[in-house]
């Protein structure tokens, strides 16, 4: 039995659970003094990194207060820090941090370009691990059975690599889900649920970039397990699972009958299980995860932003009593907030991890943009997130927008609202969150439902308008679709003064709803992964201005026979 065995009675399981709950308790206690912890985090990052090139250039040794820090360091994006990061990635010491990065996390960001996020041992100890353990507390407190057996968790994001790509200095340049934290940072207890499942390390050869085949092989093995929880973080991955189960069902059943895995001998043939699975298909017609894993209890993924439009129906695929627990508000660059209870989408700031600053999401960020602290935030408002931590990211605008849901334990609770990217063809300045709220309102008002949505500005005869591609869960009649488009237009006008003005002056025409087949977004997701993009990086995107990407989504390949896309203008 290895040291990472998660079954009950093992020392590892007990220590893992104790660590998770202890970190949760520590964060809860820290919320009682957010200002004090902010001072501690700032003092630590200034002292520790004062002698670095960046620290010297910005006078870290002379800074004593947050106001002095704000005056010395401008707000900045990855592009501003990139020259410093590239020097570090090339092997130069003491550039941004006093300790050398052990790995560089990759992050696709909005543009799809692969960033290099420096990850140092001190960052992991003081910033990452406390939040990382605490994030699992709601799952383990309320569904402890996920640790009862190795096949209880299907972790879709876990993707270990034997030969990871590297930077010029030889440091791994990989996603966070591809790093062995025990080996890299001496933290063997950090292996999260599902990373010891029979499908975690695939027993047959498969190319590192063949992400669909890896997904198939894991699903083929998991069908034979007693899965109680699916971990996806990126909800698009969770949404893809039922689609893949149906797509690959004949192959899965045949391989179970034959005892093969990826066409290679694996176990003894199991015609009884294959016959049982065939009976499931015959009985239900449409095979769902709930049929294959009847003891499913929880899904763990982001629950806010665009997924709010489809998560209720998606949850039904996994079972009527399944709970969806929110993954933390975080990026490759660092944590922002973590759920410390079973709130559906919001979490508390990780006050021990970073110095957090915020700015009104409707304003453009500039190096000298005034910022707010957590205690200044108002419920019901959206804010840009800016953080500073000991890992070398200083006053870093991560590009995410959060919404203040309420206050708990004396601090605001934050939910991820979307990317800060704007669509601004005619001064409308629309953000992800505004479009999602308008879509949600239009769906509520009409009683309609959808699997997913995306939008772009299109021009015809010199008139620009938003075309919103939707994948309805059931067919929409023309009058329903027209009512939806009208409600969407009203909602966008409420959300954005710029949109309201553009409509009133004729710079934008009424939006158009383009109805796609129910599985259009799933097929688009599958095709993108088949093209070599890691599943964790294929996320829901509201704005899709790239013509080729849009054509792939809405073109003939995305149209089922007999279900042509239909446009419905107001």
């Amino acid at each position: 039995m290895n040291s990472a065995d998660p079954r009950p009675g093992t020392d590892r399981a007990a220590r893992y659970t104790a660590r998770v709950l202890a970190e949760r308790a520590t964060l809860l206690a820290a919320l009682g003094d957010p200002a004090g912890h902010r001072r501690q985090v700032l003092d630590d990052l200034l002292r520790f990194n004062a002698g670095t090139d960046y620290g010297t250039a910005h006078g870290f040794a002379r800074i004593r207060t947050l106001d002095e820090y704000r005056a010395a360091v401008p707000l900045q994006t990855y592009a501003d820090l990139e020259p410093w990061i590239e020097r570090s990635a090339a092997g130069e010491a003491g550039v941004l941090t006093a300790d050398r990065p052990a790995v560089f996390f990759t992050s696709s960001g909005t543009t799809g370009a692969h960033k290099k996020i420096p990850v140092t041992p001190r960052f992991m100890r003081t910033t990452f691990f406390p939040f990382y353990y605490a994030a699992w507390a709601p799952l383990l407190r309320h569904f402890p059975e996920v640790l009862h057996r190795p096949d209880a968790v299907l972790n879709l994001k876990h993707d270990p690599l034997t030969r990871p790509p590297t930077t010029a200095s030889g440091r791994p340049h990989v996603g966070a889900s591809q790093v062995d934290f025990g080996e890299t940072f001496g933290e063997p207890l950090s292996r999260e649920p599902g990373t010891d499942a029979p499908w975690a390390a695939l027993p047959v050869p498969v190319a590192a970039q063949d992400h669909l085949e890896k997904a198939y092989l894991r699903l083929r093995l998991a069908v034979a397990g007693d899965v109680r929880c699916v971990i996806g973080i990126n909800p698009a991955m969770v949404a893809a699972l039922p689609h893949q189960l149906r797509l690959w069902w004949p192959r899965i059943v045949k391989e179970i009958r034959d005892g093969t895995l990826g066409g290679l001998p694996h176990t003894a043939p199991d015609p009884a299980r294959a016959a049982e699975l065939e009976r499931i298909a015959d009985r239900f017609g449409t095979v769902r995860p709930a049929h294959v894993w009847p003891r499913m209890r929880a899904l763990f993924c982001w629950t806010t932003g665009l997924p709010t439009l489809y998560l209720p129906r998606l949850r039904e695929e996994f079972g009527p009593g399944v709970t969806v627990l929110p993954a933390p508000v975080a990026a490759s660059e660092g944590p922002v907030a973590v759920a410390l209870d079973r709130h559906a989408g919001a979490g508390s700031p990780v006050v021990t991890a970073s110095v957090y600053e915020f700015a009104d999401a409707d304003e453009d960020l500039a190096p000298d943009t005034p910022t707010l602290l957590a205690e200044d935030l108002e419920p019901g408002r959206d804010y840009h997130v800016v953080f500073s931590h000991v890992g070398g990211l200083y006053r870093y605008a991560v590009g995410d927008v959060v919404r203040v849901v309420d206050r708990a334990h004396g601090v605001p609770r934050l939910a991820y609202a979307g990317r800060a990217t704007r669509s601004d063809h005619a001064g409308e300045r629309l953000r992800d969150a505004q479009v999602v709220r308008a879509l949600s309102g239009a769906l509520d008002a009409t009683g309609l439902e959808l699997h997913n949505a995306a939008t772009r500005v299109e021009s015809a005869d010199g008139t620009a308008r938003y075309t919103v591609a939707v994948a309805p869960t059931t067919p929409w009649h023309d009058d329903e679709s027209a009512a939806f488009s009208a409600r969407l237009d009203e909602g966008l006008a409420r959300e954005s003064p710029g949109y309201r003005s553009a409509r009133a002056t004729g710079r934008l025409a009424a939006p158009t709803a383009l109805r796609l087949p129910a599985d259009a977004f799933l097929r688009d997701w599958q095709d993108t992964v088949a093209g070599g993009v890691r599943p964790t990086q294929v996320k829901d995107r509201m704005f899709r201005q790239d013509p080729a990407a849009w054509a792939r989504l809405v073109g003939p390949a995305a149209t089922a026979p007999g279900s042509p896309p239909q446009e419905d203008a107001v």
Side-chain angles (χ1 to χ4, degrees):
M1 184 178 297
N2 66 51
S3 62
D5 192 337
R7 287 175 292 183
T10 65
D11 178 60
R12 194 268 176 190
R15 288 187 294 115
Y16 179 73
T17 302
R19 176 71 181 273
V20 165
L21 298 182
E23 294 291 2
R24 174 185 181 271
T26 297
L27 287 184
L28 276 171
L31 296 178
D33 184 18
H37 285 282
R38 184 165 56 233
R39 287 192 298 271
Q40 290 178 23
V41 172
L42 180 61
D43 290 347
D44 182 57
L45 74 86
L46 291 171
R47 287 196 308 270
F48 187 71
N49 293 321
T52 64
D53 291 351
Y54 191 93
T56 300
H58 292 83
F60 279 12
R62 300 187 300 273
I63 296 173
R64 295 294 180 268
T65 68
L66 180 58
D67 285 343
E68 292 174 354
Y69 176 67
R70 285 164 152 169
V73 180
L75 291 186
Q76 51 203 332
T77 64
Y78 182 83
D80 299 314
L81 283 174
E82 188 171 17
W84 305 83
I85 292 173
E86 288 297 335
R87 288 170 55 195
S88 180
E92 194 173 339
V95 180
L96 284 166
T97 58
D99 53 350
R100 286 180 178 269
V103 64
F104 288 80
F105 285 165
T106 184
S107 173
S108 58
T110 302
T111 64
H114 288 291
K115 301 176 184 177
K116 298 184 182 76
I117 309 302
V119 182
T120 67
R122 190 177 182 91
F123 164 80
M124 294 297 289
R125 288 194 306 272
T126 65
T127 301
F128 184 87
F129 281 133
F131 123 85
Y132 177 73
Y133 283 111
W136 301 108
L139 178 64
L140 297 190
R141 290 181 77 216
H142 300 289
F143 304 101
E145 63 267 34
V146 301
L147 292 184
H148 284 185
R149 45 187 297 160
D151 65 348
V153 177
L154 176 54
N155 191 322
L156 300 176
K157 73 183 184 70
H158 181 61
D159 185 28
L161 290 178
T162 54
R163 294 183 178 179
T166 62
T167 65
S169 61
R171 301 293 185 182
H173 180 210
V174 292
S177 59
Q178 298 178 301
V179 176
D180 184 331
F181 294 138
E183 179 179 324
T184 306
F185 297 102
E187 188 77 11
L189 198 60
S190 62
R191 298 185 68 179
E192 64 191 46
T195 55
D196 289 304
W199 44 82
L202 293 172
V204 296
V206 58
Q209 296 303 312
D210 195 347
H211 302 298
L212 279 188
E213 182 65 8
K214 287 194 284 187
Y216 164 77
L217 295 172
R218 291 187 179 115
L219 185 55
R220 149 68 179 94
L221 292 169
V223 164
D226 182 19
V227 176
R228 313 289 183 89
C229 172
V230 172
I231 295 171
I233 308 298
N234 172 6
M237 299 172 68
V238 180
L241 184 60
H243 176 70
Q244 292 173 332
L245 186 66
R246 292 188 275 272
L247 183 68
W248 294 328
W249 186 252
R251 183 184 176 192
I252 290 172
V253 173
K254 182 180 186 302
E255 290 221 284
I256 289 175
R257 179 184 293 111
D258 297 343
T260 60
L261 179 64
L264 300 175
H266 175 59
T267 58
D270 193 350
R273 175 59 173 163
E276 179 185 0
L277 295 174
E278 287 176 329
R279 286 193 294 273
I280 288 175
D282 290 341
R283 178 182 178 186
F284 295 104
T286 298
V287 179
R288 305 183 189 280
H291 304 147
V292 178
W293 302 301
R295 285 185 281 268
M296 182 72 68
R297 300 296 306 282
L299 306 176
F300 188 84
C301 62
W302 295 319
T303 60
T304 57
L306 203 157
T308 58
L309 304 179
Y310 63 75
L311 273 176
R313 282 296 188 192
L314 177 62
R315 179 173 62 178
E316 293 178 359
E317 292 269 5
F318 292 85
V322 169
T323 296
V324 182
L325 293 171
V329 182
S332 299
E333 292 91 336
V336 177
V338 62
L340 300 175
D341 52 30
R342 283 195 282 184
H343 189 280
S348 302
V350 190
V351 297
T352 60
S354 298
V355 175
Y356 295 106
E357 300 174 71
F358 304 87
D360 190 321
D362 287 330
E363 301 298 325
D364 293 326
L365 288 180
D368 59 351
T369 296
T371 58
L372 304 170
L373 301 178
E375 51 265 36
D376 303 319
L377 305 185
E378 300 176 26
R381 297 282 302 276
D382 293 349
Y383 297 94
H384 295 284
V385 178
V386 176
F387 55 63
S388 302
H389 59 61
V390 75
L393 299 184
Y394 308 111
R395 305 202 74 204
Y396 181 84
V398 70
D400 289 338
V401 169
V402 295
R403 189 168 184 82
V404 180
V405 173
D406 59 13
R407 298 183 72 86
H409 310 289
V411 297
R413 281 203 292 194
L414 309 174
Y416 175 73
R419 295 291 292 170
T421 310
R422 289 193 181 94
S423 180
D424 193 15
H425 179 82
E428 68 273 20
R429 294 170 58 84
L430 282 173
R431 292 182 284 105
D432 279 6
Q434 294 170 315
V435 180
V436 170
R437 288 195 289 267
L439 283 168
S440 181
L443 294 169
D444 288 345
T446 56
L448 299 173
E449 297 178 316
L450 49 77
H451 288 295
N452 214 324
T455 187
R456 76 189 301 261
V457 178
E458 296 188 302
S459 296
D461 301 325
T463 302
R465 69 172 76 237
Y466 276 86
T467 297
V468 183
V470 296
T473 57
T474 58
W476 294 4
H477 295 295
D478 289 348
D479 58 338
E480 292 176 320
S481 190
F484 166 81
S485 296
R487 292 285 190 167
L488 176 62
D489 191 33
E490 295 169 2
L492 292 173
R494 283 194 302 271
E495 286 288 337
S496 168
Y499 178 88
R500 187 164 61 246
S501 173
R503 286 285 288 118
T505 57
R507 287 174 284 141
L508 284 176
T512 298
L514 180 65
R515 287 175 280 171
L516 303 180
D519 65 350
F521 285 85
L522 296 170
R523 284 193 273 176
D524 180 61
W525 189 91
Q526 196 88 345
D527 290 344
T528 304
V529 174
V533 184
R534 289 180 59 229
T536 54
Q537 295 181 328
V538 186
K539 302 170 184 174
D540 294 314
R541 296 293 186 196
M542 176 57 71
F543 300 124
R544 302 201 185 188
Q545 281 302 122
D546 177 62
W550 184 258
R552 188 180 63 228
L553 173 65
V554 306
T559 305
S563 301
Q566 301 177 50
E567 293 190 3
D568 306 286
V570 176

